[in-house]
Amino acid sequence: MKRYVEADPYPWPYNGELRADNTAFLVIDMQTDFCGPGGYVDKMGYDLSLTRAPIGPIRSVLDTVRPRGFHVLHTREGHRPDLSDLPENKRWRSQRIGAGIGDPGPCGRILTRGERGWEIIPELAPAPGEPVVDKPGKGSFYATDLDMLLRRRCVENLVLAGITTDVCVHTTLREANDRGFECLVLSDCTGATDYSNYLAALKMIKMQGGVFGAVSESASFIKAILS
């Protein structure tokens, strides 16, 4: 039986092959550094309500997909404690805005592995057995084993959530498309530090008939997998 999610610009997935065994829910960088008080985004002075907005919708999707056997994976952006994997220009840019990567902050060293700010927020903590992919950059495939984890699970459909829509989510989306994954972004399960960037990022996905895939909402996705 074919199943589709009501999405824009086309019913997703394109072939109607929506099943638990071939679909993964990827939660990107829901870490204290990005959506918690005292973290990287907070230290830069951005409105945390924008990056915390996806928490509830992501929770609803997790509560639905977990008992039904869908694949769930998480990512964390962060650098080695010795910063040997941190490009100099990336560190320089972060220091210019008062939130230097590796510098001390209220939640430990900013965007550094092992620190409190680097951890995934408790509300969205990974369940036992759910892989957590640690990445040094914006994209979730670069310098990680994510592609291997998805291939080993025979994943064809990738549902993306997390932050930020215009940076880490979009970079991962583009990487996934080049690898042949059929992608869906859940708009209420993502957020950005700038609302206009959030809207622009979603618009770019839908151009040219869905150049990077499709966009939907958590309620529509949940409805489809419960049908």
Side-chain angles (χ1 to χ4, degrees), residues 44-155:
M44 287 189 285
Y46 290 110
D47 182 0
L48 279 185
S49 68
L50 295 174
T51 57
R52 292 186 64 80
I55 294 174
I58 292 174
R59 179 80 254 174
S60 295
V61 174
L62 288 172
D63 289 345
T64 305
V65 299
R66 279 171 169 160
R68 289 167 177 81
F70 284 77
H71 305 283
V72 178
L73 301 92
H74 307 258
T75 74
R76 290 181 295 208
E77 182 179 347
H79 294 277
R80 296 171 180 268
D82 64 1
L83 306 183
S84 58
D85 60 350
L86 175 62
E88 288 298 325
N89 61 342
K90 183 178 180 181
R91 189 176 191 191
W92 177 82
R93 289 194 299 261
S94 68
Q95 289 172 331
R96 288 186 72 233
I97 54 175
I101 296 172
D103 292 348
C107 298
R109 296 174 65 205
I110 294 171
L111 275 187
T112 302
R113 296 180 184 183
E115 301 291 339
R116 185 162 58 90
W118 166 79
E119 296 288 357
I120 294 171
I121 59 174
E123 300 97 312
L124 300 176
E130 293 177 354
V132 179
V133 175
D134 287 314
K135 59 190 186 69
K138 307 298 187 290
S140 300
F141 289 89
Y142 171 69
T144 76
D145 57 1
L146 177 60
D147 187 75
M148 181 176 69
L149 292 172
L150 295 174
R151 303 292 182 191
R152 290 284 294 163
R153 287 162 172 76
C154 299
V155 169

